[in-house]
Amino acid sequence: MEILIATGRLAESTVRKAIGEKADVLVANIDIAAFITPKKLIKTFQEAKLSKVYDLILLPGLVAGDFSEASDVLGCKIRLGPKHAYDLGFVLSFIGKVEFSDKIPACELLADVRKEIALELIKKNEEEASSSFTLRGIKLGGKARMKVMGEIVGALEMDPPALQAKIEAFIARGADVIDLGATLNTLPEQAKRAVSFAKTITDTPVSIDTLDSELIREGVKAGADLVLSLNSTNLETAGPIIARAGIAAVIIPDEERSLESLIRNVEVARRLGIKKIIADPVLDPVGHNITESIVRFHEFHRMYPEIPLFLGVGNVTELMDVDTIGVNAVLCGIGVEVGASILFTPEFSDKAQGSITELKRASEMMMLSGIRESSPKDLGLDLLCIKEKRRRPESPLPENAIQARSSKGWRIDPAGPIRIRTVADRISGKGGFIVAEHEKTSVVGKNAREVMDTLLELKFVSRLDHAAYLGRELEKAELSLQFNRSYAQDDVF
């Protein structure tokens, strides 16, 4: 297939570098490629007096307009390429496999295709992966994907509606295992009730999180699939219970957190008949020997490669005033190298909200990276939430620009004031609704545009300055939902 890439003068060198010998280039007499019009394309094409007959012309992804007439005149298909010239090489690899669009940029069209391919590959690999053992069909260890365990802090003392809401939220965010946390005040009957209730509302594996042997006994009776945790303080009392039930247990070191004590406890667990062992060498926080603890993981995995490892990611994310996305991704990368099978997070603090989703995506990325024997980039999946992978080219400031300044005057809109707030989706942990309240009417929508359009349609806005103000605030409200942050009208975002 003969392909022609249309571009402008500024992007020419980038385009040629991206496509190599895969296509020809047509440079329009214009600086910014996105400003190519149908007439400009026809004129440039005809003036170039090209010797080839082309099957397809790819335009820059940001070009607007109807090129159907130009397609008829030039005798070939005209479709949108990617927004960024850098992505042309990737896009061209799909020529003949995907029908490109004259309305949707190729990079957006292929983003879904690439993601679908990536997810299918993950699914296939997980189905075929070997594992050390399973928890209710969830593979742990071996070549299986690292699984995400979400801890519900204080779960054993929650009332059923609150516990159900939390479990459903964690599963919606991607948790593979639900961990029910105890406190120092938890009673045995509360442990039994909470585990029993959890088992009635989900098929997801359920763990009971305590060192108390009595709580473990009741949790196991109620059907817990996993016990977190056992060490020398409770192995002799709780170990036989777990062995008889044939369920899994996380083995931890004693107070000194030494590798030797972990090995000793693992061997005791084996002697007691526990078959499904998960070891936790304990990940220490930054500033408290995190490097030494990672070495512990590495050493244990070298000695016991058959035993799945438990990585307490929350020990790091909860004790850093840093956005969790990158931290979770890096820890996940370290986890896959040291043999981790479970990524544990409580999502306890507000700053750690979203960690389950982040770890799930990171675990998928690391699996793909391993399959492709590559770094975790260009996989079809990513954790880029704020920063761009590639910036678009920028134009210089115009010479006749007027310096902007804030208006010093402000008058109340005769149509009345509007109060804006948000209602977040606490189940998925992202998105929600924007609420714009005007007198006795409330307009509710998922994005700024639809709320603003409705306010204008209802004639709740009569001044341009009020409309501009509402646009700013509604956009801030939408961003707050997108990034799972709180919103307050007139506050700095």
Side-chain angles (χ1 to χ4, degrees), residues 206-267:
V206 172
S207 164
I208 181 169
D209 192 343
T210 179
L211 285 166
D212 188 309
S213 295
E214 284 301 310
L215 300 186
I216 290 173
R217 184 190 304 276
E218 294 304 316
V220 172
K221 283 183 182 178
D225 303 290
L226 172 66
V227 170
L228 175 65
S229 303
L230 299 182
N231 64 7
S232 64
T233 65
N234 62 358
L235 261 167
E236 295 296 341
T237 53
I241 298 169
I242 293 165
R244 285 194 296 272
I247 63 173
V250 175
I251 311 300
I252 62 174
D254 294 327
E255 287 186 9
E256 74 275 15
R257 296 186 178 181
S258 68
L259 183 61
E260 292 74 21
S261 69
L262 175 60
I263 292 171
R264 186 169 57 250
N265 291 339
V266 165
E267 293 302 333

Side-chain angles (χ1 to χ4, degrees), residues 136 159-161 163-165 167-168 171 178 180 191-206 219 221-225:
R136 305 193 77 179
D159 58 67
L163 181 56
Q164 180 171 351
I167 290 173
E168 290 175 350
I171 292 173
I178 298 296
L180 305 180
K192 181 179 180 180
R193 183 172 62 246
V195 173
S196 297
F197 177 72
K199 298 286 288 186
T200 65
I201 62 173
T202 182
D203 292 326
T204 302
V206 172
K221 283 183 182 178
D225 303 290

Side-chain angles (χ1 to χ4, degrees), residues 429-479:
K430 58 184 177 181
F433 294 96
I434 301 170
V435 182
E437 299 172 332
H438 177 270
E439 296 179 351
K440 295 182 179 181
T441 303
S442 294
V443 175
V444 179
K446 289 192 173 183
N447 60 62
R449 179 171 183 170
E450 64 185 23
V451 173
M452 190 67 201
D453 286 350
T454 305
L455 291 173
L456 293 173
E457 184 181 328
L458 293 172
K459 301 187 186 306
F460 289 166
V461 184
S462 65
R463 289 179 57 84
L464 288 176
D465 55 354
H466 191 209
Y469 162 77
L470 289 173
R472 293 194 302 271
E473 287 299 321
L474 288 170
E475 187 66 21
K476 283 162 55 180
E478 183 176 335
L479 287 170

Side-chain angles (χ1 to χ4, degrees), residues 160-360:
L163 181 56
Q164 180 171 351
K166 203 71 174 178
I167 290 173
E168 290 175 350
F170 275 24
I171 292 173
R173 295 172 197 178
D176 299 294
V177 183
I178 298 296
D179 182 54
L180 305 180
T183 71
L184 295 176
N185 299 316
T186 302
L187 301 174
E189 57 266 28
Q190 291 176 313
K192 181 179 180 180
R193 183 172 62 246
V195 173
S196 297
F197 177 72
K199 298 286 288 186
T200 65
I201 62 173
T202 182
D203 292 326
T204 302
V206 172
S207 164
I208 181 169
D209 192 343
T210 179
L211 285 166
D212 188 309
S213 295
E214 284 301 310
L215 300 186
I216 290 173
R217 184 190 304 276
E218 294 304 316
V220 172
K221 283 183 182 178
D225 303 290
L226 172 66
V227 170
L228 175 65
S229 303
L230 299 182
N231 64 7
S232 64
T233 65
N234 62 358
L235 261 167
E236 295 296 341
T237 53
I241 298 169
I242 293 165
R244 285 194 296 272
I247 63 173
V250 175
I251 311 300
I252 62 174
D254 294 327
E255 287 186 9
E256 74 275 15
R257 296 186 178 181
S258 68
L259 183 61
E260 292 74 21
S261 69
L262 175 60
I263 292 171
R264 186 169 57 250
N265 291 339
V266 165
E267 293 302 333
V268 171
R270 282 178 163 176
R271 176 177 59 78
L272 291 171
I274 300 175
K275 304 296 185 184
K276 297 181 178 180
I277 292 174
I278 302 164
D280 178 11
V282 182
L283 182 66
D284 291 318
V286 171
H288 297 273
N289 300 317
I290 184 173
T291 304
E292 185 178 322
S293 67
I294 292 172
V295 171
R296 247 190 340 259
F297 275 84
H298 177 74
E299 285 298 305
F300 185 89
H301 182 59
R302 183 181 59 81
M303 297 170 67
Y304 295 87
E306 77 283 3
I307 297 181
L309 291 183
F310 177 101
L311 188 69
V313 177
N315 293 353
V316 177
T317 54
E318 292 284 352
L319 296 174
M320 291 181 73
D321 285 339
V322 176
D323 289 336
T324 58
I325 300 170
V327 178
N328 279 329
V330 170
L331 290 174
C332 198
I334 292 170
V336 79
E337 291 192 4
V338 299
S341 297
I342 291 180
L343 305 166
F344 176 84
T345 184
E347 283 201 5
F348 182 66
S349 64
D350 289 334
K351 67 188 177 192
Q353 296 298 305
S355 285
I356 290 173
T357 302
E358 293 158 14
L359 288 169
K360 182 65 170 284

Side-chain angles (χ1 to χ4, degrees), residues 372-413:
R372 298 176 179 177
E373 298 181 348
S374 69
S375 297
K377 66 186 292 289
D378 299 326
L379 301 171
L381 303 177
D382 62 60
L383 275 169
L384 291 167
C385 299
I386 299 175
K387 293 189 175 183
E388 297 176 294
K389 184 169 183 175
R390 299 185 181 99
R391 290 182 66 85
R392 297 189 181 96
E394 296 178 349
S395 302
L397 283 172
E399 294 180 359
N400 59 346
I402 298 172
Q403 180 62 48
R405 58 185 182 275
S406 300
S407 173
K408 295 182 180 179
W410 176 258
R411 284 184 288 173
I412 296 176
D413 192 329

Side-chain angles (χ1 to χ4, degrees), residues 25-103:
V25 180
L26 178 67
V27 183
N29 185 25
I30 192 170
D31 285 336
I32 308 299
F35 293 161
I36 294 175
T37 63
K39 288 183 179 179
K40 177 70 72 174
L41 178 65
I42 293 171
K43 182 180 179 182
T44 304
F45 187 95
Q46 292 174 341
E47 288 178 349
K49 297 181 180 180
L50 301 166
S51 58
K52 290 184 181 178
V53 175
Y54 290 96
D55 303 292
L56 173 67
I57 297 176
L58 281 182
L59 300 171
L62 292 173
V63 164
D66 183 358
F67 282 78
S68 56
E69 184 178 337
S71 179
D72 293 337
V73 171
L74 301 179
C76 69
K77 290 182 179 180
I78 298 176
R79 299 290 186 263
L80 290 179
K83 295 178 180 179
H84 302 283
Y86 308 97
D87 293 327
L88 276 165
F90 165 70
V91 167
L92 289 175
S93 67
F94 283 88
I95 295 293
K97 302 175 185 175
V98 173
E99 181 62 35
F100 292 107
S101 170
D102 58 358
K103 295 181 176 62

